[in-house]
Structures are given as C-alpha cells and as structure tokens.
Amino acid sequence: MIRLRSAKRKPRLANGASCSEMWCSLLGCTLFFFSASLTQGQSQNPVKLPAAKPSATGTSFKLQASGSTVSQSTDRQGVRADLSLPKINTKLPADLQIQAGAEKLAEALAHYSTALQLEKSGQMREALAHFLAVLQLDPANPELAAHTAELVYHYQGRKEAVALLNQAVTLRPDQPAPYLNLVRFLTTYTAEDAFEVDRAKQVLEDALKRFPTRSEVYAFASLSYLSRNMRADAVAVMDQALKQTVASAAFWMEVGRAAQQVWPLAQTENQAEHLRRVNVFFDKALALSPIGKKGESTRLEVAQYYLLSNQLDRARVLCEQLSTQTGNLQARKLLYRLYEAAEEKDKSLNVLEKIVAEVPSDVEQRRLLVNAYMLRETPAKAVPHLEAAIQLAGGEAGDYQELGDLLLKSQLYDKLIQLSERSVKLYPEVPIFHVQAALAHRALLHWEKAIQSFERAHVMVENSQSELVNHRFYFQYGLTLERAGRADDAGKMFEKAITLTPKEEIEDAANTMNYLGFMWLDQEKYLDKAGELIRKANELQPDNAAYIDSLGWWHFKKGDYPNALKELQRALGLIKELESEDAEIIEHIAQTYLKMNELEKARESFEKALALLPTEPKLLMRLKEGLRQTARP
C-alpha cells in the first residue's frame, strides 16, 4: 500500500544534485512502495541485458578478472584489433535482477512525486492526473483515495468522487477507514438529493455494525452527528459503545474523549448529569489499566481528566497512587497543583522541591518554585532557582528585573549590583536596571554611586513615555538625595513626585507630603510651606500617627508648645504596641516638656524613649543630651 505523504521540498533534479543523492532518494522511496501488497502475482522473470557487440579499432583493452589492472596491446602488423568487450554470459544474482513489478512501482513513484510537486505549486488539475495514475496501482489505499476524491470533486464532479470512495470501501471492507472517509466526504460535500443525505447515516450505521470493537468508529460517528446537529444520534452511538464488552483501556479512553463532546462538562446547568455520563467511560478505562508501568499512561490521563473536570479528590487519590507506585513525574506535578488548591502549602512545597531536585533542568518547575517561595515571603530561597531558569532557557528583560527585585528583597545588594551591570549591557535601553543598581548602592551607603545610577535612569526617562516616569521613581530619587545631604535637590524631586501622584493614590500622596514637610522642619526652612504639606497629609489620612507627630512637631517649631504637646500625645495614643522606631515621637514629647520647663516629665519621656532601644545615631545623641539637661541635682 502506498502511504500518502506531503511534499516538503522540490526534488533537485536539475540543480546539480549528485547521482548518489538521487539514487539514495529513489532507493528509499522504492523500498517504501515495496511495502504494498500489489506485487503479488506479478511476473518474476528478470529483464535480460543485451549482449555487447564487437567494434573495429586498432587497440584492445583486456579487463582482467580482478578488475585491478588493465593490459594494453597494439597491433603492429596492421591487423585490426577487437576492441569490443567480451560477451557477458554470467547470470546476475537474484537480488540485482530487475523485477517486472518493480518497474510498475517505480512508475507509480514517479507519478506520486510529480503529483506532490504539482500540488505544492498550485497546479491541482495537473496533479490530479498523476494521483489517478498512482491510484490505479493501489486502488484500495484509503488515504490516497480520500485525497484524490477531493481533487476529483473539484475537477470532474461529485459523482466520480463518490464512486472512487465507494471503490475503496468495496476493496477494503474489513477496514473502517474507507467507510469513515466516505462519510466525511458525503457530509462535507453535501448533495440536494435526499437519498444522498441518508447515505452518510447508512454508511455510519454499517461501519458501527461491522466494527463494534473499534473505538475510532464510535468517536468519529458521534462527532459526525454532533457536527450536523444530530445530538440524539450521537448519544445513541455512545450508548451503543457502552454495551460492548471490550477489555481494552485504550478503547474506553478514546470513546471517553468523544463523550466529553457529546456531554460538555462546561455546561453548568447540566454538569452533574454530564459528569455522570462521561465518568462511566473513564472509570472503565481505569478499571482495565494495570497498576504499575504498563497502565501508567492511562491512569495518568484519567487523573488529568478528573482534574480538568474538577473532581479534585479523585484526581488526588490517583496521582498519589501513581507517585507511590511508579514515581511518575507528571503525576507529581499534578499533585503539586492539587495540594496548592487544597491550601496544603507544606505538602505542595515539599513535592515541588523534590521535583526540582530530581529534574533540575525543568524550567517550568523552577519558576513554579520561585513563585512558591515568593508567596511564602522567602525571596532568598527563590533567587537560585530563578537564576537557574534564566541560565537554562535564557531570559527577557522582565526576567532580569524580577531577579533584581528578589535580590533587593533578599538584601543581597552586592549580587544585585553585579546583576545590574550585566542587565544594563544586555538591555541598555531599559532604565529600571539603573534604578535597581541605585537602590543597592543606597542600601550599602554608596551615596554618590546611588545618585549617579538614579541620574542615568532620570536622563533616559525624563523625555519619554516610560512607565518608570511616575511618582514613586521621583520619591526614591529624592529620598536618596536627602540621605546624601542634598536637601534642596531632594526637595525638587519630592515636589515632582507630589505633582505626578494620581488622585487615587492617596496613601502615596500623603506620605510624600509628610516626608517633604518634615524634612523642611528638620532643616528649619520653609516652615509655612511645610505646615501646608503636613496639614494636607493629615487631611488625606487623619489617623496616621506619623503624620500627627509631624503636625505636633510643626507646632513645636512654630513655638506653639501646648498645641504641639496635644498633637504629639494624640499620635502616641494611636500606637497600640510601641517599637523602637516610635522612640522619636516620645523624644518629641520630651523636647516639648523641656521647652515648657517641665523637667521631670521631660526626663521620664527621655528615659522611656531610650528604653525602646532605638538605633538611629542622631536620635540617640539627642536622647542622651536630653537626659543630661534634665539630670536631677
């Protein structure tokens, strides 16, 4: 039987192809055609080679038996020498004799190759003639008949195409493919004749009777009926399949896949009933699949069906069995998802870590593990896995940015600086890598390098529409300048951040206003503007202890100590559990008592602030100085 193949490239017959290439190609195709059963009964007589004829010359070349040397003799007497080769009387070995059947196969091969090339170049009518020539050699080939019938329909007519497919059914009545090809054609190229409409159903029913144990027939029949809005007939086909006693898991798996089309599980109003109908097929397949390696693929596919149909408990049991019995990797991957869905975080993480340890080259699982560690707020554990994923599969700019964020959260600042240097070289047009480098340098107190990195990013984004041009960028830039002692430049960045903050970003707006206002208070500059910003921050978030502390400190700077004490105590009252960072609010209260000449209360507040163990050097110095000033005589 000649198997129908698609042409992938034109043969190099006139483009300098070597003889050996052409011969190897022809030999391979000829062997392919020999798989057909068409040579049976062909003549086995070899084709005889003609004997060599003598010619008249003056020189004779004698070929020795070894074939390795040649002797030459010249007739010096004027006698005409015999230059002809000796007659070949030796019979060729059987494997070198050209068979008559092979000639026909070679001819068919030539037609088939030509047909493919013509079809590829769009010369369908010309290709048809060659396909028909091949079909004469192998008329029972269902694939070839189906393909040729389509061309016949377009260039000769429907009647001739149907006749071709009917012939294939007649020649191969023991195979389902010709029947299904005929039905496919009849339902695709419909006729107005009512008999022709019924003909497709008759052929399907005949195929179902002839091949009751062939799963592809049930699957094809049900989908064919569904495509023609004949759902009742499709259901009847599935019911007929269920009556069979086929002891093959593969049979029930294929019919089960078709059943999912007959009873769609996505229809929520009938989901319970549809699930009941479809489950029967997969349950049968599961019951027939042996435990262990032999039944592994079937049991895994059933588990996937349970998962996709939201039968999570059944999927989990099956995946756990597969994991225990065979260690199936795909089953364990499904098990990770099932544990995650059940919020059994420890189990899911354990499964995923083992998968990655066993298959370290699996990039998808590496990335899942990165996400798992991020959800558990352990970024340092995620770092090596994202690094490995990038090394294994390469990375885009977003991958390098994600890795940089992980390094920043993990406080691995030196590694982040190294990564940023590489990222800038790979993606010189992406400003975020300069920002990441700036944040790393700032964390290491490398103020000038941090400012330089921010400046590079600022130059890149200032006149662009980059998403990086936002209030958060300018706030971080300003914060870095302020820490480096460049307060005036920092103020400009904070003001720009306030301008760019969207109205809905209330928290960010209040934070920047409060920060800038407090910075000016600390420098005792622009007190009125500072007060406006601090009051606005309190309007946006009225119960924020830090902002109320700033408001009290503004009153302090203005010399209004009673109002200062009132606001500062209100701020302290909002804090339920004091931490070391709250020591500054208490220090502000102590300073206010000191200004009001209430030394004992001031000393108590200074001691209370020190008891919180603050670490900020300037704050510690002020607290010690306050204790000195309020020391008891």
Side-chain angles (χ1 to χ4, degrees), residues 363 366-367 370 383-404 406 419 422-423 426-427:
V363 175
R366 289 269 194 184
R367 290 189 175 276
V370 169
V383 167
H385 296 287
L386 184 54
E387 287 177 332
I390 293 174
Q391 290 173 357
L392 288 166
E396 302 295 331
D399 298 312
Y400 283 90
Q401 181 181 345
E402 182 182 1
L403 180 56
L406 287 176
L419 176 69
R422 173 174 171 76
S423 301
L426 290 173
Y427 304 99

Short mmCIF file of all heavy atoms in Angstrom, two decimals, residues 363 366-367 370 383-404 406 419 422-423 426-427:
data_model
loop_
_atom_site.label_atom_id
_atom_site.label_comp_id
_atom_site.label_asym_id
_atom_site.label_seq_id
_atom_site.Cartn_x
_atom_site.Cartn_y
_atom_site.Cartn_z
N VAL A 363 12.57 23.95 33.53
CA VAL A 363 12.46 25.40 33.76
C VAL A 363 11.10 25.76 34.35
O VAL A 363 11.00 26.62 35.24
CB VAL A 363 12.72 26.17 32.45
CG1 VAL A 363 12.48 27.67 32.64
CG2 VAL A 363 14.13 25.92 31.96
N ARG A 366 11.04 25.09 37.97
CA ARG A 366 11.88 26.08 38.65
C ARG A 366 11.09 27.36 38.89
O ARG A 366 11.14 27.94 39.98
CB ARG A 366 13.11 26.39 37.80
CG ARG A 366 14.13 25.28 37.73
CD ARG A 366 15.16 25.41 38.82
NE ARG A 366 16.30 24.56 38.58
CZ ARG A 366 17.32 24.41 39.42
NH1 ARG A 366 17.31 25.08 40.57
NH2 ARG A 366 18.32 23.63 39.14
N ARG A 367 10.38 27.81 37.88
CA ARG A 367 9.63 29.06 38.01
C ARG A 367 8.46 28.90 38.99
O ARG A 367 8.12 29.84 39.72
CB ARG A 367 9.14 29.52 36.64
CG ARG A 367 10.29 30.00 35.73
CD ARG A 367 9.78 30.66 34.48
NE ARG A 367 10.86 31.20 33.68
CZ ARG A 367 11.41 32.40 33.87
NH1 ARG A 367 10.95 33.18 34.84
NH2 ARG A 367 12.37 32.84 33.09
N VAL A 370 9.94 29.30 42.31
CA VAL A 370 10.20 30.72 42.59
C VAL A 370 8.93 31.38 43.12
O VAL A 370 8.95 32.08 44.14
CB VAL A 370 10.69 31.45 41.31
CG1 VAL A 370 10.69 32.96 41.53
CG2 VAL A 370 12.08 30.97 40.93
N VAL A 383 15.86 33.01 44.77
CA VAL A 383 16.92 33.56 43.92
C VAL A 383 17.65 32.51 43.10
O VAL A 383 17.74 32.62 41.87
CB VAL A 383 17.91 34.39 44.76
CG1 VAL A 383 19.18 34.71 43.95
CG2 VAL A 383 17.26 35.68 45.23
N PRO A 384 18.22 31.44 43.71
CA PRO A 384 18.99 30.49 42.89
C PRO A 384 18.16 29.78 41.83
O PRO A 384 18.69 29.40 40.78
CB PRO A 384 19.53 29.49 43.93
CG PRO A 384 18.65 29.64 45.13
CD PRO A 384 18.23 31.07 45.14
N HIS A 385 16.88 29.62 42.08
CA HIS A 385 16.04 28.92 41.10
C HIS A 385 15.71 29.81 39.90
O HIS A 385 15.65 29.33 38.77
CB HIS A 385 14.78 28.41 41.78
CG HIS A 385 15.06 27.38 42.83
ND1 HIS A 385 15.45 26.10 42.53
CD2 HIS A 385 15.05 27.46 44.19
CE1 HIS A 385 15.65 25.42 43.64
NE2 HIS A 385 15.41 26.22 44.67
N LEU A 386 15.50 31.09 40.15
CA LEU A 386 15.28 31.99 39.01
C LEU A 386 16.57 32.18 38.23
O LEU A 386 16.55 32.25 36.99
CB LEU A 386 14.75 33.34 39.50
CG LEU A 386 14.38 34.34 38.40
CD1 LEU A 386 13.40 33.72 37.40
CD2 LEU A 386 13.78 35.61 39.00
N GLU A 387 17.70 32.22 38.92
CA GLU A 387 18.99 32.28 38.23
C GLU A 387 19.16 31.06 37.33
O GLU A 387 19.59 31.18 36.17
CB GLU A 387 20.12 32.35 39.25
CG GLU A 387 20.24 33.69 39.96
CD GLU A 387 21.33 33.68 41.02
OE1 GLU A 387 21.61 32.60 41.59
OE2 GLU A 387 21.88 34.76 41.31
N ALA A 388 18.83 29.88 37.85
CA ALA A 388 18.97 28.64 37.06
C ALA A 388 18.03 28.64 35.88
O ALA A 388 18.40 28.22 34.77
CB ALA A 388 18.70 27.43 37.95
N ALA A 389 16.81 29.12 36.07
CA ALA A 389 15.84 29.16 34.97
C ALA A 389 16.33 30.06 33.85
O ALA A 389 16.19 29.72 32.66
CB ALA A 389 14.49 29.65 35.49
N ILE A 390 16.92 31.19 34.20
CA ILE A 390 17.44 32.11 33.18
C ILE A 390 18.63 31.48 32.46
O ILE A 390 18.77 31.59 31.24
CB ILE A 390 17.83 33.45 33.83
CG1 ILE A 390 16.58 34.17 34.33
CG2 ILE A 390 18.59 34.32 32.84
CD1 ILE A 390 16.86 35.43 35.12
N GLN A 391 19.49 30.79 33.21
CA GLN A 391 20.64 30.14 32.58
C GLN A 391 20.22 29.02 31.65
O GLN A 391 20.82 28.81 30.59
CB GLN A 391 21.57 29.59 33.67
CG GLN A 391 22.30 30.67 34.46
CD GLN A 391 23.07 30.11 35.65
OE1 GLN A 391 23.01 28.90 35.93
NE2 GLN A 391 23.78 30.97 36.36
N LEU A 392 19.17 28.29 32.03
CA LEU A 392 18.73 27.15 31.23
C LEU A 392 17.99 27.56 29.96
O LEU A 392 18.20 26.99 28.89
CB LEU A 392 17.83 26.24 32.07
CG LEU A 392 18.52 25.43 33.16
CD1 LEU A 392 17.48 24.84 34.11
CD2 LEU A 392 19.36 24.30 32.55
N ALA A 393 17.11 28.55 30.09
CA ALA A 393 16.23 28.89 28.97
C ALA A 393 16.42 30.31 28.46
O ALA A 393 15.68 30.75 27.59
CB ALA A 393 14.77 28.69 29.39
N GLY A 394 17.40 31.02 29.00
CA GLY A 394 17.54 32.42 28.61
C GLY A 394 16.51 33.27 29.33
O GLY A 394 15.58 32.76 29.95
N GLY A 395 16.68 34.55 29.24
CA GLY A 395 15.76 35.44 29.93
C GLY A 395 15.51 36.71 29.17
O GLY A 395 16.38 37.19 28.43
N GLU A 396 14.31 37.25 29.34
CA GLU A 396 13.97 38.55 28.78
C GLU A 396 14.26 39.62 29.83
O GLU A 396 14.66 39.32 30.96
CB GLU A 396 12.50 38.58 28.38
CG GLU A 396 12.10 37.53 27.36
CD GLU A 396 12.79 37.72 26.02
OE1 GLU A 396 13.10 38.89 25.68
OE2 GLU A 396 13.03 36.73 25.32
N ALA A 397 14.06 40.87 29.45
CA ALA A 397 14.31 41.97 30.38
C ALA A 397 13.48 41.81 31.65
O ALA A 397 13.97 42.08 32.76
CB ALA A 397 14.01 43.30 29.70
N GLY A 398 12.23 41.35 31.51
CA GLY A 398 11.37 41.17 32.67
C GLY A 398 11.90 40.14 33.65
O GLY A 398 11.72 40.27 34.87
N ASP A 399 12.59 39.09 33.12
CA ASP A 399 13.16 38.07 34.00
C ASP A 399 14.31 38.65 34.83
O ASP A 399 14.43 38.36 36.02
CB ASP A 399 13.66 36.89 33.17
CG ASP A 399 12.54 36.21 32.41
OD1 ASP A 399 11.50 35.93 33.03
OD2 ASP A 399 12.69 35.96 31.20
N TYR A 400 15.14 39.46 34.18
CA TYR A 400 16.24 40.08 34.90
C TYR A 400 15.72 41.09 35.93
O TYR A 400 16.28 41.22 37.02
CB TYR A 400 17.20 40.76 33.92
CG TYR A 400 18.09 39.78 33.20
CD1 TYR A 400 17.71 39.21 31.99
CD2 TYR A 400 19.33 39.42 33.72
CE1 TYR A 400 18.52 38.31 31.32
CE2 TYR A 400 20.16 38.52 33.06
CZ TYR A 400 19.74 37.97 31.86
OH TYR A 400 20.55 37.06 31.21
N GLN A 401 14.65 41.79 35.58
CA GLN A 401 14.06 42.72 36.54
C GLN A 401 13.50 41.96 37.75
O GLN A 401 13.68 42.38 38.90
CB GLN A 401 12.95 43.54 35.88
CG GLN A 401 12.29 44.54 36.83
CD GLN A 401 11.19 45.33 36.16
OE1 GLN A 401 11.06 45.36 34.94
NE2 GLN A 401 10.38 45.99 36.97
N GLU A 402 12.82 40.83 37.48
CA GLU A 402 12.27 40.03 38.58
C GLU A 402 13.38 39.51 39.48
O GLU A 402 13.26 39.53 40.73
CB GLU A 402 11.47 38.85 38.01
CG GLU A 402 10.82 37.98 39.07
CD GLU A 402 10.08 36.78 38.49
OE1 GLU A 402 10.09 36.61 37.26
OE2 GLU A 402 9.51 36.01 39.29
N LEU A 403 14.49 39.06 38.87
CA LEU A 403 15.61 38.59 39.66
C LEU A 403 16.19 39.72 40.50
O LEU A 403 16.55 39.53 41.67
CB LEU A 403 16.68 37.99 38.75
CG LEU A 403 17.94 37.44 39.43
CD1 LEU A 403 17.58 36.39 40.48
CD2 LEU A 403 18.90 36.85 38.39
N GLY A 404 16.27 40.91 39.91
CA GLY A 404 16.77 42.06 40.66
C GLY A 404 15.88 42.39 41.85
O GLY A 404 16.37 42.71 42.94
N LEU A 406 14.06 40.26 43.50
CA LEU A 406 14.30 39.22 44.51
C LEU A 406 15.58 39.49 45.29
O LEU A 406 15.62 39.33 46.52
CB LEU A 406 14.39 37.85 43.83
CG LEU A 406 13.10 37.24 43.30
CD1 LEU A 406 13.40 35.93 42.58
CD2 LEU A 406 12.12 36.98 44.43
N LEU A 419 24.40 41.99 39.00
CA LEU A 419 23.34 41.69 38.04
C LEU A 419 22.97 42.94 37.24
O LEU A 419 22.77 42.86 36.01
CB LEU A 419 22.11 41.16 38.77
CG LEU A 419 20.88 40.91 37.89
CD1 LEU A 419 21.12 39.72 36.97
CD2 LEU A 419 19.64 40.67 38.73
N ARG A 422 25.33 43.61 34.41
CA ARG A 422 25.07 42.71 33.28
C ARG A 422 23.78 43.10 32.55
O ARG A 422 23.72 43.11 31.32
CB ARG A 422 25.00 41.27 33.77
CG ARG A 422 24.57 40.27 32.70
CD ARG A 422 24.66 38.85 33.21
NE ARG A 422 24.07 37.90 32.28
CZ ARG A 422 24.62 37.49 31.16
NH1 ARG A 422 25.82 37.92 30.83
NH2 ARG A 422 24.02 36.62 30.36
N SER A 423 22.74 43.40 33.32
CA SER A 423 21.44 43.73 32.72
C SER A 423 21.53 44.99 31.86
O SER A 423 20.92 45.06 30.79
CB SER A 423 20.40 43.92 33.83
OG SER A 423 20.27 42.76 34.61
N LEU A 426 23.00 44.05 28.58
CA LEU A 426 22.08 43.28 27.74
C LEU A 426 20.92 44.14 27.22
O LEU A 426 20.48 43.99 26.08
CB LEU A 426 21.52 42.10 28.54
CG LEU A 426 22.49 40.97 28.87
CD1 LEU A 426 21.84 39.96 29.80
CD2 LEU A 426 22.95 40.26 27.59
N TYR A 427 20.43 45.03 28.07
CA TYR A 427 19.25 45.85 27.73
C TYR A 427 19.56 47.32 28.05
O TYR A 427 19.05 47.87 29.03
CB TYR A 427 18.02 45.37 28.50
CG TYR A 427 17.71 43.90 28.29
CD1 TYR A 427 18.11 42.95 29.24
CD2 TYR A 427 17.05 43.46 27.15
CE1 TYR A 427 17.85 41.61 29.05
CE2 TYR A 427 16.79 42.12 26.94
CZ TYR A 427 17.19 41.20 27.89
OH TYR A 427 16.93 39.86 27.69
#
